[in-house]
Amino acid sequence: MTETLIAHPGARLPEPGPLPNRLQLTDDGQLRHMLTIEGLNRELLTEILDTAESFANMNEKAVKKVPLLRGKTIVNLFFEASTRTRTTFELAAKRLSADVLNVNINTSSAVKGESLLDTLRNIEAMNVDMFVVRHEESGTAHFIARHVAPGISVLNAGDGRHAHPTQALLDMFTIRRHKGDFTKLKVAIVGDILHSRVARSQIHALNILQTGEVRVVAPCSLLPANVDQLGVHVYNDLDAGLKDVDVIIMLRLQRERMEHAHLPSEHEYYQLFGLTSRRLQLAHPTCLVMHPGPANRGVEIESAVADGPHSVILEQVTYGISVRMAVMSMVMGAHQA
Amino acid sequence: MSVLIENARILDPVDGYDTIGSLCVQGSEILARGQAPDGFEPRRRIDASGLWLIPGLIDLAARLREPGQEHKATVASETLAAASGGITSLVVPPDTEPPIDSPAEVELINRRARQACGVRVYVLGALTHQLEGQQLAEMAALMNAGARGVSNANKPLASLLVLRRALEYATTFGLTIVLSAQDPALTGSGCMHEGAVSTRLGLAGIPEAAETAALGAILALVEQTGARVHVARLSTRRGAEMIAKARAEGLPVSADVAAHQLFLTEVDVAEYDPNCHVIPPLRVQRDRDGLRAAVARGEISAICSDHQPHEPDSKLGPFAGTEPGISALETLLPLTLRLVEDGLLSLHDALARVTTGPAEILGFAQGRLTPGARADFVLWDPATMQEVHREDWLSAGHNTPFFNWTFSGQVRETWVAGRPVWTRPSEDTA
């Protein structure tokens, strides 16, 4: 199938190649955009994690700044509320010496007037170098990457239910720091898989890194169709799903899941799928507990677990900066190469 | 005027006719098929050596966007596109703006059609007032104004009770009711087939049951009321099987499928290609093959374009927010004939699905080449390869996933009522 979208004048056309990488990789396999984890290879993921490692060491020092992106302008284009992701992207950009512009757009008002493409064109006209985009509709980062002027990179900071690649990368970074080799690990992702872009990106990343076993644990009403085809073992029982796992990733449960009849109540969900101290004992004794945040205490996770010795939830936030610095510096490098 | 078209391979699906010979046209009708009667003195002779002469196509679903959405397309632009694609009769669903729910809209569209290139334009009247699904539309008035049937297009009905009453009322006048089988709640905000690809892309899916559950309800009410129902745009193998079973049991139901459903699947959505955003959605290969088999067996007796032209902005955005639909008039005949190349069905059966099949569903006299029939026909050049290009495209809507597809053969001329309404520019045929 050929590209039939009306391209930006002078915009590069995606090269033929395996989906979905003809957009996000250059001819020689470097990152041009970061849209999705899907389809990246193990070498590239490892390179990102290694680069993040060097930034992590720097981030622990007194002077936390390098001039890698000096003179570059990075725009945080957020159509959906976010605190953690936006601020860590902002800090990452600043530690790379880039100028940062935060644009928060309330989608309801954006829908009425300006189209997404108009917004993009206007900001593009200010000679920016990178867009960090979050949007409630799946595929938005792909759409923007197709239409930006050559030389501008697009980083996906979350699109609908589709992908949140830097979140998955920081999760992999956290796991690698604690566990090293992925091939012997059992990882369980628990909760609302159906609506989760985080889970989709994590599943791709874990599989690319050849994780021993990737499990998803959820009631059938929160599992997407054919989820097994993503390369996971499906569990509907939390106790069974946690048995001997090395990493537990809990997902946030949105309140509206009750309104749309996915679940009867938070109470019953917590009874069946909440991570409690008792259940944690079913996992491997050195198990990590992770959560992309913000956590609903008493809905998907017990406070004692979220704050307990197994929890690396705050480390995830810290590493998010290093990982985003790595991705930003790599995509800019690909453009300059 | 009398015309003699000579040396054409005349293909008439109505009786399996396949002979190289002449077609005699007298005025707006066909006088003779095969050989000219003694004493026939044509004013004009056309040598159609090497060409096929087939009945003009009847398309059961084509949005012309008039009235109300002239920024997308017009009756004039789309009827010309239809003619270039070999379509000589087309049926407009009632979801214009405003909807076709009174004689005024029927008359407006008829007037626009008379000012256009000559392709026959028919309308379906609204089943409910403003297509709102609550109160019945004035079906008798619509019928008297020329509506060929009634439909609620893709708009939902408030309840099965409204559907039951609508079927009963339409049956009073012998009207055919055209229904799409889509349960609105199960469809929800879905924008593609619910399956592996929607899961991968994170798009809200439309499950197979959105079609089969709605179809089950429709068939139950057909059995209850005896109404004559045509189910529009099947998308699932299971749905096709349900129709086949109902027909075998003698229920007065028929069904059609959009041509793109016979060639594309969810996989073609690839990386959010908005040109593959259609409702009902592209499904899986199993469904595509099941629909093809049902077409081959005649259980699905019509293939339509489900033409929905859009202006570029409608398709410019993240996938779910783009408007669904394909601009499809110009690919209906090439895709239908591709089924013959694929070995799915005979040439006559393929032609029947776009001529006699749809004619039977809505009671049209055309769609055949027998003496006395309307002189609506197409001269098809089977020897010239045709690559579909934006530059040659006549529809105002450029939203098609079929650009750059190559087809064997192309339309040379299209005639309606004994006169040519479209002729391929000569530089193309050189």
Side-chain angles (χ1 to χ4, degrees):
Chain A
M1 192 112 323
T2 51
E3 291 294 321
T4 46
L5 277 169
I6 294 172
H8 180 272
R12 78 191 85 76
L13 286 172
E15 291 77 26
L19 296 175
N21 277 326
R22 48 188 191 184
L23 257 179
Q24 66 177 355
L25 296 187
T26 61
D27 289 343
D28 55 353
Q30 294 192 69
L31 268 188
R32 168 159 49 203
H33 306 292
M34 174 51 91
L35 307 176
T36 173
I37 298 290
E38 187 187 0
L40 298 181
N41 62 35
R42 192 183 177 193
E43 290 67 35
L44 189 60
L45 282 200
T46 305
E47 188 190 339
I48 296 170
L49 298 183
D50 291 346
T51 309
E53 193 69 52
S54 66
F55 286 121
N57 294 332
M58 187 198 83
N59 281 333
E60 284 156 16
K61 293 189 180 130
V63 177
K64 306 178 178 66
K65 205 152 179 168
V66 288
L68 276 174
L69 298 187
R70 186 154 57 200
K72 301 288 183 193
T73 306
I74 295 176
V75 179
N76 278 330
L77 191 56
F78 277 58
F79 294 87
E80 225 182 43
S82 158
T83 310
R84 208 171 323 247
T85 302
R86 190 184 57 72
T87 48
T88 52
F89 263 113
E90 184 173 349
L91 261 183
K94 286 179 170 166
R95 288 185 184 173
L96 292 167
S97 308
D99 296 316
V100 183
L101 183 65
N102 286 313
V103 183
N104 297 318
I105 296 171
N106 178 340
T107 20
S108 58
S109 62
V111 167
K112 283 179 198 138
E114 218 177 13
S115 78
L116 177 58
L117 207 54
D118 287 332
T119 308
L120 185 76
R121 291 269 178 274
N122 275 283
I123 299 171
E124 203 178 80
M126 301 171 196
N127 293 319
V128 303
D129 300 286
M130 193 186 302
F131 284 105
V132 177
V133 184
R134 170 172 288 193
H135 196 280
E136 64 187 352
E137 283 197 22
S138 301
T140 301
H142 279 81
F143 172 74
I144 290 178
R146 274 205 181 91
H147 291 90
V148 288
I152 298 181
S153 284
V154 178
L155 304 192
N156 186 359
D159 63 325
R161 307 176 185 180
H162 171 238
H164 193 350
T166 58
Q167 174 70 44
L169 287 168
L170 72 88
D171 294 329
M172 297 310 113
F173 185 85
T174 308
I175 295 171
R176 195 175 77 160
R177 272 221 157 176
H178 286 271
K179 299 287 182 189
D181 185 15
F182 282 84
T183 59
K184 294 184 179 61
L185 298 181
K186 292 189 178 78
V187 179
I189 305 171
V190 183
D192 185 359
I193 311 292
L194 174 62
H195 298 92
S196 178
R197 55 193 172 212
V198 172
R200 284 172 175 77
S201 287
Q202 287 166 338
I203 291 166
H204 288 306
L206 288 165
N207 282 321
I208 292 164
L209 294 169
Q210 300 173 348
T211 305
E213 186 183 340
V214 184
R215 303 176 179 177
V216 294
V217 187
C220 295
S221 55
L222 292 179
L223 285 169
N226 307 94
V227 64
D228 53 308
Q229 290 186 28
L230 294 175
V232 294
H233 297 269
V234 179
Y235 288 78
N236 298 127
D237 178 80
L238 182 56
D239 286 3
L242 293 184
K243 186 99 177 64
D244 300 327
V245 296
D246 302 284
V247 178
I248 304 170
I249 301 174
M250 300 304 295
L251 299 174
R252 176 178 168 79
L253 185 79
Q254 308 273 355
R255 292 269 147 96
E256 62 256 32
R257 303 306 166 229
M258 266 57 77
E259 291 156 26
H260 294 130
H262 288 95
L263 294 172
S265 66
E266 288 180 356
H267 174 75
E268 180 154 309
Y269 182 77
Y270 187 64
Q271 295 296 312
L272 298 174
F273 294 96
L275 184 60
T276 58
S277 307
R278 182 193 66 75
R279 286 200 164 114
L280 186 54
Q281 289 170 10
L282 298 165
H284 191 275
T286 62
C287 177
L288 300 180
V289 173
M290 303 173 69
H291 194 300
N296 287 316
R297 292 159 184 260
V299 177
E300 69 254 359
I301 191 165
E302 185 187 333
S303 271
V305 176
D307 303 328
H310 294 270
S311 169
V312 291
I313 295 174
L314 290 177
E315 274 181 58
Q316 290 175 266
V317 179
T318 307
Y319 297 149
I321 301 169
S322 309
V323 165
R324 285 165 181 140
M325 288 172 79
V327 173
M328 284 176 166
S329 61
M330 286 171 71
V331 294
M332 280 285 100
H335 272 306
Q336 280 153 6
Chain B
M1 190 167 98
S2 55
V3 182
L4 183 66
I5 296 161
E6 298 174 291
N7 305 317
R9 180 182 174 193
I10 300 172
L11 292 155
D12 192 351
V14 78
D15 54 359
Y17 188 85
D18 183 356
T19 301
I20 292 178
S22 305
L23 192 81
C24 304
V25 176
Q26 183 74 57
S28 64
E29 290 184 353
I30 292 166
L31 182 68
R33 185 185 73 176
Q35 277 191 317
D38 292 339
F40 182 69
E41 289 289 338
R43 297 263 310 268
R44 190 180 162 200
R45 285 171 180 268
I46 295 171
D47 181 14
S49 299
L51 302 181
W52 296 357
L53 195 161
I54 62 176
L57 272 56
I58 301 170
D59 184 0
L60 288 182
R63 266 81 172 179
L64 308 183
R65 302 303 190 195
E66 227 178 331
Q69 294 188 299
E70 291 83 354
H71 61 291
K72 292 185 186 293
T74 61
V75 171
S77 68
E78 301 316 285
T79 51
L80 192 63
S84 79
I87 296 165
T88 53
S89 299
L90 53 79
V91 180
V92 178
D95 53 352
T96 49
E97 292 178 8
I100 306 173
D101 80 340
S102 78
E105 289 85 29
V106 182
E107 283 156 17
L108 173 80
I109 292 170
N110 285 341
R111 192 162 63 242
R112 289 279 187 275
R114 280 195 300 274
Q115 294 158 351
C117 72
V119 164
R120 300 179 199 269
V121 176
Y122 301 90
V123 302
L124 296 177
L127 189 66
T128 60
H129 175 68
Q130 294 291 307
L131 299 177
E132 283 166 357
Q134 310 267 358
Q135 199 181 329
L136 300 188
E138 292 181 349
M139 298 180 207
L142 286 163
M143 182 178 73
N144 292 332
R148 299 299 298 211
V150 283
S151 172
N152 224 52
N154 284 342
K155 302 284 197 301
L157 297 172
S159 69
L160 289 181
L161 180 62
V162 172
L163 178 56
R164 178 195 171 168
R165 299 294 186 228
L167 294 185
E168 288 171 341
Y169 189 72
T171 302
T172 313
F173 315 104
L175 276 167
T176 295
I177 304 104
V178 179
L179 297 173
S180 63
Q182 296 167 35
D183 181 86
L186 289 174
T187 300
S189 59
C191 59
M192 73 172 296
H193 172 68
E194 182 179 299
V197 178
S198 70
T199 290
R200 189 171 73 75
L201 295 177
L203 292 170
I206 301 172
E208 178 189 62
E211 177 164 301
T212 53
L215 190 50
I218 289 169
L219 293 174
L221 288 173
V222 168
E223 196 159 13
Q224 180 75 40
T225 61
R228 160 83 192 96
V229 166
H230 175 71
V231 179
R233 272 49 7 112
L234 286 178
S235 70
T236 66
R237 167 196 286 251
R238 188 79 192 97
E241 287 169 358
M242 290 167 76
I243 287 288
K245 183 163 170 286
R247 284 166 69 98
E249 288 169 359
L251 289 187
V253 290
S254 54
D256 70 58
V257 64
H260 55 253
Q261 289 285 4
L262 304 172
F263 291 89
L264 305 176
T265 66
E266 58 168 3
V267 173
D268 292 292
V269 173
E271 282 178 273
Y272 303 102
D273 182 353
N275 285 324
C276 289
H277 181 192
V278 288
I279 302 290
L282 302 173
R283 297 199 182 269
V284 298
Q285 187 159 351
R286 188 173 172 278
D287 292 306
R288 193 200 66 172
D289 293 347
L291 292 168
R292 282 182 158 220
V295 167
R297 290 191 293 262
E299 294 152 3
I300 293 175
S301 54
I303 303 171
C304 68
S305 73
D306 198 19
H307 177 69
Q308 297 180 48
H310 286 297
E311 82 284 18
D313 280 357
S314 287
K315 290 288 190 182
L316 212 48
F319 188 88
T322 60
E323 290 190 50
I326 291 176
S327 175
L329 292 168
E330 290 154 83
T331 46
L332 176 60
L333 180 54
L335 287 172
T336 301
L337 292 175
R338 173 69 72 86
L339 296 173
V340 180
E341 280 180 61
D342 289 353
L344 184 73
L345 73 183
S346 72
L347 181 53
H348 277 103
D349 283 347
L351 291 173
R353 301 296 176 265
V354 285
T355 56
T356 52
E360 195 179 327
I361 288 163
L362 289 184
F364 293 120
Q366 62 269 32
R368 54 173 65 200
L369 300 172
T370 44
R374 293 173 179 177
D376 297 359
F377 58 87
V378 176
L379 290 170
W380 173 261
D381 174 2
T384 306
M385 300 295 275
Q386 168 192 203
E387 194 174 307
V388 183
H389 286 303
R390 192 183 295 274
E391 305 82 70
D392 308 327
W393 200 249
L394 290 182
S395 168
H398 286 190
N399 48 301
T400 172
F402 296 110
F403 280 141
N404 301 324
W405 278 48
T406 300
F407 295 104
S408 27
Q410 61 183 11
V411 174
R412 186 71 77 80
E413 278 187 24
T414 302
W415 290 54
V416 177
R419 63 182 187 88
V421 293
W422 186 80
T423 304
R424 181 168 294 278
S426 54
E427 60 269 23
D428 289 4
T429 55

